[in-house]
Amino acid sequence: MDWSFFTEVLVGGLLSGVMYSLVAIGFVLIYKTSGVLNFAQGALLLFAALTFVSLTERGLPFWAGIALTLAAMTAIGALIERTVLRPLVNQPPITLFMATLGVSYVIEGAAQLLWGTQVHGLDLGIDDLPLEIGGVLISTFDLFAAAVAGAMVAGLTLFFRYTRIGLGFRAVADDPLAALAVGLSLDRIWTAVWTASGVVALVAGLLWGARLGVQFSLSLVVLKALPVLVLGGFDSIAGAIVGGLIVGAVEKLAEVYAGPLVGGGIEGWIAYVAALGFLLIRPAGLFGAKPVERV
């Protein structure tokens, strides 16, 4: 057993899992407050990356492109909540899910009309070079992505703990009816959460776009978030981080050590097998709230 190689594969998987966690966090923000599984998160991610790269290709400076894309994503998030989700309050979950599925196609169509369908390269100025730490080779870009994810999680934690809107978010997540009874505006909280989801989509979109290139298949990374959510829990940011780390590690280790036994290609589906098995043991996930059993 080459432990140095094992550690290298494991660390690479953990850092890849951080990228999955970035997508999953967008799901968690929406689901925790409204119970909506936002399938439009992948389209938001695509739209953010495509908008940024299209603006910079037209001569806009990097930070100006970031600022304009951020403004666009916050506006889109608020617009979705106001025009689609708010009129469907108290509707069955399947109705809300289908609404977000429809929104995803609308966003992809709007992106195609605005920016075209060609593939773009996205350069964030971070060279994807191997960095040797303790005899283990680690991707510089993966380290950068992990640092960005850590900063974003820290920022969200501070926001939800020390701001009025953040405290309102936590109150709505714990008990929407009680929050409404004490005078909190659910509409305002939901708008803020959808806006935050747009910001998370921007961060994830830039990182995934730099990794894979900005193309319409980029929206499919949303499927990578599903096993992460199953493992970590649909209503826990900490669960999204831990679930992403587990999925990333399982994929890389399985591909390297079990892949040769089955002809390879195991990395693409092993996470879903793990998630399915985990559903049978703990349906709420590691950090998800357990459903209350009714007598």
Side-chain angles (χ1 to χ4, degrees):
M1 183 71 174
D2 187 345
W3 289 105
S4 177
F5 178 69
F6 174 84
T7 303
E8 188 172 310
V9 174
L10 177 62
V11 171
L14 292 173
L15 292 176
S16 296
V18 172
M19 297 282 284
Y20 302 155
S21 297
L22 287 173
V23 183
I25 287 173
F27 278 93
V28 170
L29 290 175
I30 303 300
Y31 188 85
K32 191 172 178 65
T33 53
S34 60
V36 177
L37 182 61
N38 177 27
F39 208 77
Q41 192 66 23
L44 289 171
L45 182 152
L46 165 68
F47 190 89
L50 191 56
T51 298
F52 171 78
V53 76
S54 297
L55 290 174
T56 54
E57 285 179 351
R58 286 163 171 77
L60 205 65
F62 181 89
W63 290 109
I66 290 285
L68 283 179
T69 307
L70 179 62
M73 296 312 298
T74 55
I76 290 172
L79 184 65
I80 292 172
E81 189 281 330
R82 182 65 182 88
T83 60
V84 179
L85 275 301
R86 192 179 299 184
L88 295 177
V89 170
N90 296 324
Q91 296 300 313
I94 186 62
T95 301
L96 299 173
F97 172 76
M98 293 303 296
T100 63
L101 185 61
V103 167
S104 71
Y105 284 103
V106 171
I107 293 174
E108 289 188 20
Q112 180 176 340
L113 288 174
L114 285 173
W115 308 120
T117 59
Q118 63 270 27
V119 178
H120 303 265
L122 176 55
D123 183 12
L124 297 179
I126 307 297
D127 294 326
D128 194 7
L129 299 174
L131 179 66
E132 185 173 352
I133 301 178
V136 176
L137 294 177
I138 301 175
S139 166
T140 305
F141 182 84
D142 286 344
L143 285 176
F144 172 75
V148 170
M152 187 176 69
V153 170
L156 288 173
T157 300
L158 293 174
F159 175 78
F160 291 134
R161 184 167 295 181
Y162 297 111
T163 66
R164 290 189 62 186
I165 294 179
L167 292 173
F169 167 89
R170 295 170 62 188
V172 171
D174 289 338
D175 192 333
L177 294 179
L180 188 62
V182 297
L184 289 177
S185 172
L186 297 186
D187 291 342
R188 182 183 178 189
I189 298 298
W190 286 333
T191 300
V193 169
W194 274 90
T195 300
S197 179
V199 174
V200 171
L202 169 61
V203 175
L206 293 181
L207 293 175
W208 275 102
R211 168 67 64 79
L212 302 177
V214 180
Q215 51 194 316
F216 275 78
S217 61
L218 193 64
S219 62
L220 297 179
V221 300
V222 70
L223 299 177
K224 284 290 189 180
L226 297 181
V228 173
L229 295 167
V230 170
L231 290 170
F234 280 81
D235 55 0
S236 171
I237 292 178
I241 297 296
V242 174
L245 295 176
I246 293 174
V247 167
V250 167
E251 284 187 346
K252 296 301 182 185
L253 291 173
E255 180 64 28
V256 171
Y257 291 102
L261 302 177
V262 295
I266 194 173
E267 184 177 354
W269 52 265
I270 189 63
Y272 299 95
V273 175
L276 180 59
F278 200 82
L279 274 175
L280 302 176
I281 301 171
R282 190 179 174 87
L286 290 171
F287 294 85
K290 293 183 179 180
V292 178
E293 296 184 1
R294 296 184 180 180
V295 180

